[in-house]
Amino acid sequence: DQQVKQNSPSLSVQEGRISILNCDYTNSMFDYFLWYKKYPAEGPTFLISISSIKDKNEDGRFTVFLNKSAKHLSLHIVPSQPGDSAVYFCAASPSGGSYIPTFGRGTSLIVHP
Amino acid sequence: KAGVTQTPRYLIKTRGQQVTLSCSPISGHRSVSWYQQTPGQGLQFLFEYFSETQRNKGNFPGRFSGRQFSNSRSEMNVSTLELGDSALYLCASSAQQVSYEQYFGPGTRLTVT
């Protein structure tokens, strides 16, 4: 039973356009959410995070939106660049002593020049 | 500051054998976590060590074990290897005991034949 779902295995976007990656979760105990980016042959790299007390967090070209009532978050990349082509993982952590994150299966983003 | 390093990067083993993977965290980081990534799957949490103590453990059989040394370096051991253990094993370190943002190594690609 997947508690964190990334329903789109892949996404293709034109350079300069917006990329929107989606993530749904089922566990209402999750209160901290993260996005990681992974290039081939490298480990994931932390990208951006959001706490459940916020509904938006922005960092340069990257913005994460959280809709707690829908248990949905999304990552917006504007404008998309070819170097953004990678696999993006959504992760969610519960509050309290055990912060063990649960990861989605990832979405492969391809940005075409 | 040097990143998280993992050795070896690639490994081929035979069913029934055992294997030990090594991880050196970022200098000053005391928390080390291990993850398994298989094709089409997200990262699945194995265990976390902090100050030489296992703090959290994921839902994996007892064949998977680990330890952490006083210099924060960590090792992970898998005994009686099965074909399904073929995966990318990722190590991540973080500075604090409870830290949501982790820094990942490049991983060890284990192939079991």
Side-chain angles (χ1 to χ4, degrees):
Chain A
D1 178 35
Q2 278 187 272
Q3 296 188 57
V4 177
K5 294 181 183 179
Q6 294 179 256
N7 291 318
S8 298
S10 64
L11 176 68
S12 182
V13 171
Q14 202 70 28
E15 180 180 6
R17 300 288 187 111
I18 184 172
S19 294
I20 300 176
L21 296 95
N22 294 304
C23 179
D24 296 295
Y25 62 96
T26 57
N27 190 338
S28 57
M29 296 300 293
F30 290 147
D31 74 345
Y32 197 80
F33 305 90
L34 309 94
W35 285 94
Y36 285 85
K37 177 171 72 173
K38 186 180 185 300
Y39 293 119
E42 295 182 14
T45 303
F46 168 74
L47 198 55
I48 192 169
S49 63
I50 187 167
S51 164
S52 60
I53 61 173
K54 294 185 174 183
D55 54 18
K56 176 183 173 181
N57 188 26
E58 195 171 348
D59 184 1
R61 296 185 298 113
F62 302 91
T63 303
V64 56
F65 295 92
L66 176 63
N67 182 334
K68 289 185 291 294
S69 60
K71 293 191 174 67
H72 175 84
L73 65 155
S74 61
L75 174 68
H76 292 212
I77 306 173
V78 183
S80 301
Q81 300 173 354
D84 295 329
S85 298
V87 177
Y88 289 78
F89 291 98
C90 165
S93 291
S95 57
S98 171
Y99 74 101
I100 300 170
T102 300
F103 283 79
R105 294 184 178 180
T107 296
S108 177
L109 173 66
I110 299 172
V111 180
H112 297 282
Chain B
K1 205 183 250 190
V4 177
T5 58
Q6 292 186 245
T7 56
R9 292 292 309 275
Y10 302 91
L11 204 50
I12 299 174
K13 288 286 188 179
T14 305
R15 263 185 309 176
Q17 289 185 315
Q18 75 164 14
V19 67
T20 299
L21 312 181
S22 182
C23 171
S24 293
I26 290 173
S27 177
H29 284 192
R30 295 165 65 189
S31 171
V32 174
S33 298
W34 288 88
Y35 295 84
Q36 181 195 66
Q37 184 186 12
T38 51
Q41 298 289 323
L43 281 69
Q44 298 189 64
F45 175 81
L46 280 154
F47 28 66
E48 183 222 0
Y49 287 86
F50 181 84
S51 294
E52 303 178 62
T53 301
Q54 187 181 87
R55 198 165 71 101
N56 291 291
K57 190 176 193 308
N59 189 25
F60 277 82
R63 300 186 296 108
F64 292 81
S65 63
R67 58 178 177 168
Q68 186 181 34
F69 302 95
S70 58
N71 61 359
S72 293
R73 189 177 71 84
S74 178
E75 287 182 348
M76 185 193 120
N77 185 77
V78 188
S79 62
T80 320
L81 284 166
E82 300 177 359
L83 294 178
D85 297 333
S86 295
L88 179 68
Y89 290 89
L90 291 158
C91 167
S93 75
S94 56
Q96 299 168 4
Q97 185 172 8
V98 178
S99 173
Y100 296 115
E101 293 154 21
Q102 299 178 301
Y103 297 82
F104 283 85
T108 294
R109 173 72 62 185
L110 172 64
T111 302
V112 182
T113 62

Coordinates of all heavy atoms in Angstrom, one line a residue, chain A residues 24-101:
Chain A
D24 N 0.7 12.6 -4.4 CA -0.4 12.4 -3.4 C 0.0 11.6 -2.3 O 0.8 10.6 -2.4 CB -1.6 11.8 -4.2 CG -2.1 12.6 -5.3 OD1 -2.7 13.7 -5.0 OD2 -2.0 12.2 -6.5
Y25 N -0.6 11.8 -1.1 CA -0.2 11.0 0.0 C -1.5 10.6 0.8 O -2.6 11.2 0.6 CB 0.7 11.7 1.0 CG 0.2 13.0 1.6 CD1 -0.4 13.0 2.8 CD2 0.3 14.2 0.9 CE1 -0.8 14.2 3.4 CE2 -0.1 15.4 1.4 CZ -0.7 15.4 2.7 OH -1.2 16.6 3.2
T26 N -1.4 9.5 1.5 CA -2.6 9.0 2.2 C -2.6 9.2 3.7 O -3.6 9.2 4.4 CB -2.9 7.6 1.9 OG1 -1.7 6.8 2.2 CG2 -3.1 7.4 0.4
N27 N -1.4 9.2 4.3 CA -1.2 9.2 5.7 C -1.3 10.7 6.3 O -0.5 11.5 6.0 CB 0.2 8.7 6.1 CG 0.4 8.4 7.6 OD1 -0.3 9.0 8.4 ND2 1.3 7.5 7.9
S28 N -2.3 10.9 7.1 CA -2.6 12.2 7.6 C -1.6 12.6 8.7 O -1.5 13.7 9.1 CB -4.0 12.3 8.2 OG -4.2 11.3 9.2
M29 N -0.7 11.7 9.1 CA 0.3 12.0 10.1 C 1.5 12.6 9.4 O 2.4 13.2 10.1 CB 0.8 10.7 10.8 CG -0.3 10.0 11.6 SD -0.9 11.1 12.9 CE 0.6 11.2 14.0
F30 N 1.6 12.6 8.1 CA 2.7 13.3 7.4 C 2.6 14.8 7.6 O 1.5 15.4 7.4 CB 2.7 13.0 5.9 CG 3.1 11.6 5.6 CD1 2.5 10.9 4.5 CD2 4.0 10.9 6.4 CE1 2.9 9.6 4.2 CE2 4.4 9.6 6.0 CZ 3.8 8.9 5.0
D31 N 3.7 15.4 8.0 CA 3.6 16.9 8.2 C 4.8 17.6 7.6 O 4.9 18.8 7.8 CB 3.3 17.3 9.7 CG 4.6 17.1 10.5 OD1 5.5 16.4 10.0 OD2 4.7 17.6 11.6
Y32 N 5.7 16.9 6.9 CA 6.8 17.6 6.3 C 7.1 16.9 5.0 O 7.1 15.7 5.0 CB 8.0 17.5 7.2 CG 9.1 18.5 6.9 CD1 9.0 19.8 7.3 CD2 10.2 18.1 6.2 CE1 10.0 20.7 7.0 CE2 11.2 19.0 5.8 CZ 11.1 20.3 6.3 OH 12.1 21.2 6.0
F33 N 7.2 17.7 4.0 CA 7.3 17.1 2.6 C 8.5 17.7 1.9 O 8.9 18.8 2.0 CB 6.0 17.5 1.8 CG 4.8 17.0 2.5 CD1 4.1 17.9 3.4 CD2 4.2 15.8 2.3 CE1 3.0 17.5 4.1 CE2 3.1 15.4 3.0 CZ 2.5 16.2 3.9
L34 N 9.1 16.8 1.1 CA 10.4 17.1 0.5 C 10.4 16.7 -1.0 O 9.7 15.7 -1.3 CB 11.6 16.5 1.2 CG 11.7 16.6 2.7 CD1 11.1 15.4 3.4 CD2 13.2 16.8 3.1
W35 N 11.1 17.4 -1.8 CA 11.4 16.9 -3.2 C 12.9 16.8 -3.3 O 13.7 17.6 -2.9 CB 10.9 18.0 -4.2 CG 9.4 18.0 -4.3 CD1 8.5 18.8 -3.7 CD2 8.6 17.2 -5.2 NE1 7.2 18.5 -4.1 CE2 7.3 17.5 -5.0 CE3 8.9 16.2 -6.1 CZ2 6.2 16.9 -5.8 CZ3 7.9 15.6 -6.9 CH2 6.6 15.9 -6.7
Y36 N 13.2 15.6 -3.9 CA 14.6 15.3 -4.3 C 14.7 15.2 -5.8 O 13.8 14.7 -6.4 CB 15.1 14.1 -3.6 CG 15.3 14.2 -2.1 CD1 14.3 14.0 -1.2 CD2 16.6 14.4 -1.6 CE1 14.6 14.1 0.2 CE2 16.9 14.5 -0.3 CZ 15.9 14.3 0.6 OH 16.1 14.4 2.0
K37 N 15.9 15.5 -6.3 CA 16.2 15.3 -7.7 C 17.3 14.3 -7.8 O 18.3 14.4 -7.1 CB 16.6 16.7 -8.3 CG 17.0 16.6 -9.8 CD 17.1 18.1 -10.3 CE 18.4 18.7 -9.8 NZ 18.6 20.0 -10.5
K38 N 17.2 13.4 -8.8 CA 18.2 12.4 -9.0 C 18.7 12.3 -10.4 O 17.8 12.0 -11.3 CB 17.7 11.1 -8.5 CG 18.8 10.0 -8.5 CD 18.3 8.7 -8.0 CE 19.4 7.6 -7.9 NZ 20.0 7.3 -9.1
Y39 N 20.0 12.5 -10.7 CA 20.5 12.3 -12.0 C 21.1 10.8 -12.0 O 21.4 10.2 -11.0 CB 21.7 13.2 -12.2 CG 21.3 14.7 -12.4 CD1 21.8 15.6 -11.5 CD2 20.5 15.1 -13.4 CE1 21.5 17.0 -11.6 CE2 20.1 16.4 -13.5 CZ 20.6 17.4 -12.6 OH 20.3 18.7 -12.8
P40 N 21.2 10.2 -13.2 CA 21.7 8.9 -13.3 C 23.1 8.8 -12.7 O 23.9 9.7 -12.8 CB 21.8 8.7 -14.8 CG 20.8 9.6 -15.4 CD 20.8 10.8 -14.5
A41 N 23.3 7.7 -12.0 CA 24.6 7.4 -11.4 C 25.0 8.3 -10.2 O 26.1 8.4 -9.8 CB 25.8 7.4 -12.4
E42 N 24.0 9.1 -9.8 CA 24.2 9.9 -8.6 C 23.2 9.7 -7.6 O 22.1 9.2 -7.9 CB 24.2 11.4 -9.0 CG 25.3 11.9 -9.9 CD 25.2 13.4 -10.2 OE1 24.5 14.1 -9.5 OE2 25.9 13.8 -11.1
G43 N 23.4 10.0 -6.3 CA 22.4 9.9 -5.3 C 21.4 11.1 -5.4 O 21.7 12.1 -6.1
P44 N 20.3 11.0 -4.8 CA 19.3 12.1 -4.8 C 19.9 13.3 -4.1 O 20.7 13.2 -3.2 CB 18.1 11.5 -4.0 CG 18.3 10.0 -4.1 CD 19.8 9.8 -4.1
T45 N 19.4 14.4 -4.6 CA 19.8 15.7 -4.1 C 18.6 16.5 -3.6 O 17.6 16.6 -4.3 CB 20.5 16.6 -5.2 OG1 21.6 15.9 -5.7 CG2 21.0 17.9 -4.6
F46 N 18.7 17.0 -2.4 CA 17.6 17.7 -1.8 C 17.3 18.9 -2.6 O 18.2 19.7 -3.0 CB 17.8 18.1 -0.3 CG 16.9 19.1 0.2 CD1 15.6 18.7 0.5 CD2 17.2 20.4 0.4 CE1 14.7 19.6 1.1 CE2 16.3 21.3 0.9 CZ 15.1 20.9 1.2
L47 N 16.0 19.2 -2.9 CA 15.6 20.3 -3.8 C 14.9 21.4 -3.0 O 15.3 22.5 -2.9 CB 14.8 19.8 -4.9 CG 14.5 20.6 -6.1 CD1 15.9 21.0 -6.7 CD2 13.7 19.9 -7.1
I48 N 13.8 21.0 -2.4 CA 13.0 22.0 -1.7 C 12.0 21.2 -0.7 O 11.8 20.0 -1.0 CB 12.1 22.8 -2.7 CG1 11.5 24.0 -2.0 CG2 11.1 22.0 -3.4 CD1 10.9 25.0 -3.0
S49 N 11.6 21.9 0.3 CA 10.7 21.2 1.3 C 9.6 22.2 1.7 O 9.6 23.4 1.4 CB 11.5 20.8 2.5 OG 12.0 21.9 3.2
I50 N 8.6 21.6 2.4 CA 7.5 22.4 2.9 C 6.9 21.7 4.1 O 6.8 20.5 4.2 CB 6.4 22.6 1.8 CG1 5.4 23.6 2.3 CG2 5.7 21.3 1.4 CD1 4.4 24.1 1.2
S51 N 6.6 22.6 5.1 CA 6.0 22.1 6.3 C 4.5 22.2 6.2 O 4.0 23.0 5.4 CB 6.5 23.0 7.5 OG 5.6 22.8 8.6
S52 N 3.8 21.4 6.9 CA 2.3 21.4 6.8 C 1.6 22.7 7.3 O 0.5 22.9 7.1 CB 1.7 20.2 7.5 OG 2.0 20.3 8.9
I53 N 2.4 23.5 7.9 CA 1.8 24.8 8.4 C 1.8 25.8 7.3 O 1.2 26.9 7.4 CB 2.5 25.4 9.6 CG1 4.0 25.7 9.3 CG2 2.5 24.4 10.8 CD1 4.7 26.4 10.4
K54 N 2.4 25.5 6.1 CA 2.5 26.4 5.0 C 1.7 25.7 3.8 O 1.5 24.5 3.8 CB 3.9 26.7 4.6 CG 4.7 27.4 5.6 CD 6.1 27.8 5.0 CE 6.9 28.7 5.9 NZ 8.2 29.0 5.3
D55 N 1.4 26.6 2.9 CA 0.8 26.0 1.7 C 1.6 26.3 0.4 O 1.3 25.8 -0.7 CB -0.7 26.5 1.4 CG -0.8 28.0 1.4 OD1 0.3 28.7 1.3 OD2 -1.9 28.5 1.6
K56 N 2.7 27.0 0.6 CA 3.6 27.3 -0.5 C 5.0 27.6 0.0 O 5.2 28.3 1.0 CB 3.0 28.5 -1.3 CG 3.8 29.0 -2.4 CD 3.2 30.3 -3.0 CE 4.1 30.9 -4.1 NZ 3.5 32.2 -4.6
N57 N 6.0 27.1 -0.8 CA 7.3 27.5 -0.5 C 8.1 27.7 -1.8 O 7.9 26.8 -2.7 CB 8.0 26.4 0.4 CG 9.4 26.9 0.9 OD1 9.7 28.1 1.0 ND2 10.3 25.9 1.1
E58 N 8.8 28.7 -1.9 CA 9.5 29.1 -3.2 C 11.0 29.2 -3.0 O 11.4 29.7 -2.0 CB 8.9 30.4 -3.6 CG 9.1 30.8 -5.1 CD 8.3 32.0 -5.5 OE1 7.4 32.4 -4.7 OE2 8.6 32.6 -6.5
D59 N 11.7 28.7 -4.0 CA 13.1 28.8 -4.0 C 13.6 29.0 -5.4 O 13.8 28.0 -6.1 CB 13.8 27.6 -3.3 CG 15.3 27.8 -3.2 OD1 15.8 28.8 -3.6 OD2 15.9 26.8 -2.7
G60 N 13.8 30.2 -5.8 CA 14.2 30.5 -7.2 C 13.2 30.0 -8.2 O 12.0 30.4 -8.1
R61 N 13.6 29.1 -9.1 CA 12.7 28.6 -10.1 C 11.7 27.5 -9.6 O 10.8 27.1 -10.3 CB 13.5 28.0 -11.3 CG 14.3 29.1 -12.0 CD 15.0 28.5 -13.3 NE 15.9 27.4 -12.9 CZ 15.7 26.1 -13.3 NH1 14.6 25.8 -14.0 NH2 16.6 25.2 -12.9
F62 N 11.9 27.1 -8.4 CA 11.2 25.9 -7.8 C 10.2 26.4 -6.8 O 10.5 27.2 -5.8 CB 12.2 24.9 -7.2 CG 13.2 24.4 -8.2 CD1 14.4 25.0 -8.3 CD2 12.9 23.3 -8.9 CE1 15.4 24.5 -9.2 CE2 13.8 22.8 -9.8 CZ 15.1 23.4 -10.0
T63 N 8.9 26.0 -6.9 CA 7.9 26.3 -5.9 C 7.2 25.0 -5.6 O 6.8 24.2 -6.5 CB 6.9 27.3 -6.5 OG1 7.6 28.5 -6.9 CG2 5.9 27.7 -5.4
V64 N 7.0 24.8 -4.3 CA 6.2 23.6 -3.9 C 4.9 24.1 -3.3 O 4.9 25.1 -2.5 CB 6.9 22.7 -2.9 CG1 7.4 23.4 -1.7 CG2 6.1 21.5 -2.6
F65 N 3.8 23.5 -3.7 CA 2.4 23.8 -3.2 C 1.9 22.6 -2.4 O 2.0 21.5 -2.9 CB 1.5 24.2 -4.4 CG 1.9 25.4 -5.1 CD1 2.7 25.3 -6.2 CD2 1.4 26.6 -4.7 CE1 3.0 26.4 -7.0 CE2 1.7 27.8 -5.4 CZ 2.5 27.7 -6.6
L66 N 1.3 22.9 -1.3 CA 0.7 21.9 -0.5 C -0.8 22.1 -0.3 O -1.2 23.2 0.2 CB 1.4 21.8 0.9 CG 0.9 20.8 1.9 CD1 0.9 19.3 1.3 CD2 1.6 20.9 3.2
N67 N -1.6 21.1 -0.6 CA -3.0 21.2 -0.4 C -3.4 20.1 0.6 O -3.5 18.9 0.3 CB -3.8 21.0 -1.7 CG -5.3 21.1 -1.5 OD1 -5.8 20.8 -0.4 ND2 -6.0 21.4 -2.5
K68 N -3.4 20.4 1.9 CA -3.6 19.4 3.0 C -4.9 18.7 2.9 O -5.0 17.5 3.1 CB -3.4 20.1 4.3 CG -2.0 20.5 4.6 CD -1.8 21.0 6.1 CE -2.5 22.3 6.3 NZ -1.8 23.4 5.5
S69 N -6.0 19.5 2.6 CA -7.3 18.8 2.5 C -7.4 17.8 1.4 O -8.0 16.8 1.6 CB -8.4 19.9 2.3 OG -8.2 20.6 1.1
A70 N -6.6 18.0 0.3 CA -6.6 17.0 -0.8 C -5.5 16.0 -0.6 O -5.4 15.1 -1.4 CB -6.5 17.8 -2.1
K71 N -4.6 16.3 0.4 CA -3.4 15.4 0.6 C -2.7 15.4 -0.8 O -2.3 14.3 -1.3 CB -3.8 14.0 1.1 CG -4.4 14.0 2.5 CD -4.5 12.5 3.0 CE -4.9 12.5 4.4 NZ -6.3 12.9 4.6
H72 N -2.3 16.5 -1.2 CA -1.7 16.6 -2.5 C -0.6 17.7 -2.5 O -0.9 18.8 -1.9 CB -2.8 17.0 -3.6 CG -2.2 17.2 -5.0 ND1 -1.9 16.2 -5.8 CD2 -1.8 18.4 -5.6 CE1 -1.4 16.7 -6.9 NE2 -1.3 18.0 -6.8
L73 N 0.5 17.4 -3.1 CA 1.5 18.5 -3.3 C 2.0 18.5 -4.7 O 1.9 17.4 -5.4 CB 2.6 18.4 -2.2 CG 3.6 17.3 -2.2 CD1 4.9 17.7 -1.6 CD2 3.0 16.1 -1.4
S74 N 2.5 19.6 -5.1 CA 3.1 19.7 -6.5 C 4.3 20.5 -6.5 O 4.5 21.4 -5.6 CB 2.0 20.3 -7.4 OG 1.6 21.6 -7.0
L75 N 5.2 20.2 -7.4 CA 6.4 21.0 -7.6 C 6.3 21.7 -8.9 O 6.1 21.0 -10.0 CB 7.6 20.0 -7.6 CG 9.0 20.7 -7.9 CD1 9.4 21.6 -6.8 CD2 10.0 19.6 -8.1
H76 N 6.5 23.0 -8.9 CA 6.5 23.8 -10.2 C 7.9 24.2 -10.5 O 8.6 24.8 -9.6 CB 5.5 25.0 -10.0 CG 4.1 24.6 -9.9 ND1 3.1 25.4 -10.4 CD2 3.5 23.5 -9.4 CE1 1.9 24.8 -10.2 NE2 2.1 23.7 -9.6
I77 N 8.3 24.0 -11.7 CA 9.6 24.5 -12.1 C 9.4 25.5 -13.3 O 8.8 25.1 -14.3 CB 10.5 23.3 -12.6 CG1 10.6 22.3 -11.6 CG2 11.9 23.9 -13.0 CD1 11.3 21.0 -12.0
V78 N 9.7 26.8 -13.0 CA 9.5 27.8 -14.0 C 10.7 28.7 -14.1 O 11.1 29.3 -13.1 CB 8.3 28.6 -13.7 CG1 8.0 29.7 -14.8 CG2 7.1 27.7 -13.5
P79 N 11.3 29.0 -15.3 CA 11.1 28.2 -16.5 C 11.9 26.9 -16.5 O 13.0 26.8 -15.8 CB 11.6 29.1 -17.6 CG 12.8 29.9 -16.9 CD 12.3 30.0 -15.5
S80 N 11.5 25.9 -17.2 CA 12.2 24.6 -17.2 C 13.4 24.7 -18.1 O 13.4 25.4 -19.1 CB 11.3 23.5 -17.7 OG 10.1 23.4 -16.9
Q81 N 14.5 24.1 -17.7 CA 15.7 24.1 -18.4 C 16.2 22.6 -18.7 O 15.8 21.7 -17.9 CB 16.8 24.8 -17.6 CG 16.5 26.2 -17.3 CD 17.5 26.9 -16.3 OE1 18.4 26.2 -15.8 NE2 17.4 28.2 -16.1
P82 N 16.9 22.4 -19.8 CA 17.3 21.0 -20.1 C 18.1 20.4 -18.9 O 18.0 19.2 -18.7 CB 18.2 21.2 -21.3 CG 17.7 22.5 -22.0 CD 17.3 23.4 -20.9
G83 N 18.8 21.2 -18.1 CA 19.5 20.6 -17.0 C 18.6 20.1 -15.9 O 19.1 19.5 -14.9
D84 N 17.3 20.5 -16.0 CA 16.4 20.0 -15.0 C 15.9 18.5 -15.3 O 15.3 17.9 -14.5 CB 15.1 20.8 -15.0 CG 15.4 22.3 -14.5 OD1 16.3 22.5 -13.7 OD2 14.7 23.2 -15.0
S85 N 16.3 18.0 -16.4 CA 16.0 16.6 -16.8 C 16.6 15.7 -15.8 O 17.8 15.6 -15.6 CB 16.5 16.3 -18.2 OG 15.9 17.2 -19.1
A86 N 15.7 15.0 -15.1 CA 16.2 14.1 -14.0 C 14.9 13.4 -13.4 O 13.8 13.6 -13.9 CB 16.8 14.9 -12.8
V87 N 15.1 12.5 -12.5 CA 14.0 11.8 -11.8 C 13.8 12.6 -10.5 O 14.7 12.9 -9.8 CB 14.3 10.4 -11.5 CG1 13.2 9.7 -10.7 CG2 14.6 9.6 -12.8
Y88 N 12.5 13.0 -10.3 CA 12.1 13.7 -9.1 C 11.3 12.8 -8.2 O 10.4 12.2 -8.5 CB 11.3 14.9 -9.5 CG 12.1 16.0 -10.2 CD1 12.5 15.8 -11.6 CD2 12.6 17.1 -9.5 CE1 13.3 16.8 -12.2 CE2 13.4 18.0 -10.2 CZ 13.7 17.9 -11.5 OH 14.5 18.8 -12.1
F89 N 11.8 12.8 -6.9 CA 11.1 12.0 -5.9 C 10.5 12.9 -4.9 O 11.0 13.9 -4.4 CB 12.1 11.1 -5.1 CG 12.7 10.0 -6.0 CD1 14.0 10.1 -6.6 CD2 12.0 8.8 -6.1 CE1 14.5 9.1 -7.3 CE2 12.5 7.8 -6.9 CZ 13.8 7.9 -7.5
C90 N 9.2 12.6 -4.6 CA 8.5 13.3 -3.5 C 8.7 12.4 -2.3 O 8.7 11.2 -2.3 CB 7.0 13.3 -3.9 SG 5.9 13.7 -2.7
A91 N 8.8 13.0 -1.1 CA 9.0 12.3 0.2 C 8.1 13.0 1.2 O 8.0 14.2 1.2 CB 10.4 12.2 0.6
A92 N 7.7 12.2 2.2 CA 6.8 12.7 3.3 C 7.3 12.1 4.6 O 7.6 10.9 4.7 CB 5.4 12.4 3.0
S93 N 7.3 13.0 5.6 CA 7.8 12.5 6.9 C 6.7 12.9 8.0 O 6.1 13.9 7.9 CB 9.1 13.2 7.3 OG 10.2 12.8 6.5
P94 N 6.6 12.0 9.0 CA 5.7 12.3 10.1 C 6.4 13.2 11.1 O 7.6 13.3 11.1 CB 5.4 10.9 10.6 CG 6.6 10.1 10.4 CD 7.2 10.7 9.1
S95 N 5.6 13.7 12.0 CA 6.1 14.5 13.1 C 6.5 13.5 14.2 O 6.2 12.4 14.1 CB 5.1 15.5 13.6 OG 3.9 14.8 14.0
G96 N 7.2 14.1 15.2 CA 7.5 13.2 16.3 C 8.9 12.7 16.2 O 9.7 13.1 15.4
G97 N 9.3 11.7 17.0 CA 10.6 11.2 17.1 C 11.1 10.5 15.9 O 12.3 10.5 15.5
S98 N 10.2 9.8 15.2 CA 10.6 9.0 14.0 C 10.3 9.9 12.8 O 9.2 10.1 12.5 CB 9.8 7.7 14.0 OG 10.0 7.1 12.7
Y99 N 11.3 10.3 12.2 CA 11.2 11.2 11.0 C 11.3 10.4 9.7 O 11.4 11.0 8.7 CB 12.2 12.3 11.0 CG 13.6 11.8 10.6 CD1 14.1 12.0 9.4 CD2 14.4 11.0 11.5 CE1 15.3 11.5 9.0 CE2 15.6 10.5 11.2 CZ 16.1 10.8 9.9 OH 17.3 10.3 9.5
I100 N 11.3 9.1 9.8 CA 11.6 8.3 8.6 C 10.7 8.7 7.4 O 9.5 8.7 7.5 CB 11.2 6.8 8.9 CG1 12.1 6.3 10.1 CG2 11.5 5.9 7.7 CD1 11.7 4.9 10.6
P101 N 11.4 9.1 6.4 CA 10.6 9.6 5.2 C 10.1 8.4 4.4 O 10.8 7.4 4.3 CB 11.6 10.4 4.4 CG 12.9 9.8 4.8 CD 12.8 9.3 6.2

